[in-house]
């Protein structure tokens, strides 16, 4: 049985042309920070990412790249049986090409191999693109954290995906 069928993902389309997914390294950080800054009103700092890279294996950080250009990344924490997804972003010019989906599928496969039984995340209520991505990967909404985000203040929707 292949890894993708083990986690019961919806029918798996091929990775977008030329996309390689691999673990995040220090030399990816300039590309990662460019995407982080264009994606969020309160971006993580370089130190924030460096700290996460030093926190392996609890932190699992990956990038998607096309040739040498970083076009997306995910940072997650595998803690006991839970994979918590903390950050997902794709470069503006590379969105809606399936890169977010491919990175999360990669991560969920590793989470299963690690023994995680569920994946969790928070998402801004108004972030319909991200919510659509997570729903396509069978995450469901299970709760709300009031005023979880700043700049602007907004509720988070808590989403969970079982990984049995
Ligand atoms: C959210 C984000 C990571 C999606 O990445 P992406 O690579 O564009 O997503 P994909 O191309 O893999 O799309 C996956 C699904 O989401 C849908 N989707 C993606 N962007 C969408 C948009 N703007 N509007 C509607 N649906 C969208 C796709 O159509 C696809 O669904 P489908 O299979 O039914 O067609 C990207 O928009 C992004 O980086 N946003 C800024 C950072 C952010 O908000 N991160 C999430 C924080 S919780």
């Amino acid at each position: 049985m292949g890894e993708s069928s083990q986690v019961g993902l919806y029918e798996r389309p091929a990775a977008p042309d030329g996309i390689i997914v691999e673990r995040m390294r220090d030399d990816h950080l300039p590309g990662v920070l460019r995407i982080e800054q264009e994606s969020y009103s309160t971006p993580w700092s370089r130190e924030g990412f460096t700290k996460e890279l030093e926190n392996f294996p609890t932190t699992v950080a990956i990038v998607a790249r096309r040739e040498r250009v970083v076009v997306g990344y995910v940072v997650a924490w595998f803690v006991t049986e839970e994979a918590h997804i903390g950050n997902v972003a794709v470069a503006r010019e590379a969105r809606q090409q399936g890169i977010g989906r491919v990175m999360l599928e990669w991560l969920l496969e590793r989470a299963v191999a690690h023994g995680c039984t569920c994946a969790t995340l928070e998402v801004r209520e108004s972030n319909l693109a991200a919510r659509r991505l997570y729903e396509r990967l069978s995450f469901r909404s299970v709760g709300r954290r009031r005023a979880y985000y700043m700049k602007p203040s907004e509720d988070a929707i808590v989403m969970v995906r079982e990984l049995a």
Side-chain angles (χ1 to χ4, degrees), residues 1 28 35 50-51 81 94 110 130 149 158:
M1 183 185 279
H28 292 131
I35 299 170
T50 304
K51 231 186 203 167
E81 295 185 344
R110 295 313 180 281
Y149 294 104
V158 181

Side-chain angles (χ1 to χ4, degrees), residues 110-129:
R110 295 313 180 281
V112 169
H114 187 81
C116 296
T117 57
C118 70
T120 60
L121 57 85
E122 286 98 11
V123 56
R124 272 187 190 269
E125 185 169 24
S126 65
N127 192 346
L128 300 182

Side-chain angles (χ1 to χ4, degrees), residues 1-51:
M1 183 185 279
E3 278 185 308
S4 58
S5 48
Q6 259 181 317
V7 291
L9 296 172
Y10 68 90
E11 189 184 342
R12 183 179 187 152
D17 254 2
I19 291 295
I20 291 172
V21 177
E22 62 187 4
R23 285 198 187 279
M24 191 187 291
R25 303 184 306 260
D26 275 339
D27 59 296
H28 292 131
L29 288 184
V32 166
L33 287 165
R34 180 185 70 81
I35 299 170
E36 177 76 9
Q37 280 154 14
E38 72 180 17
S39 298
Y40 297 109
S41 56
T42 53
W44 288 10
S45 64
R46 185 183 184 105
E47 294 66 39
F49 281 99
T50 304
K51 231 186 203 167

Side-chain angles (χ1 to χ4, degrees), residues 49-76:
F49 281 99
T50 304
K51 231 186 203 167
E52 293 301 342
L53 294 185
E54 289 165 357
N55 194 30
F56 181 84
T58 300
T59 299
V60 179
I62 60 171
V63 298
R65 63 175 171 84
R66 226 180 222 129
E67 298 190 349
R68 295 171 63 91
V69 179
V70 175
V71 291
Y73 56 89
V74 179
V75 178

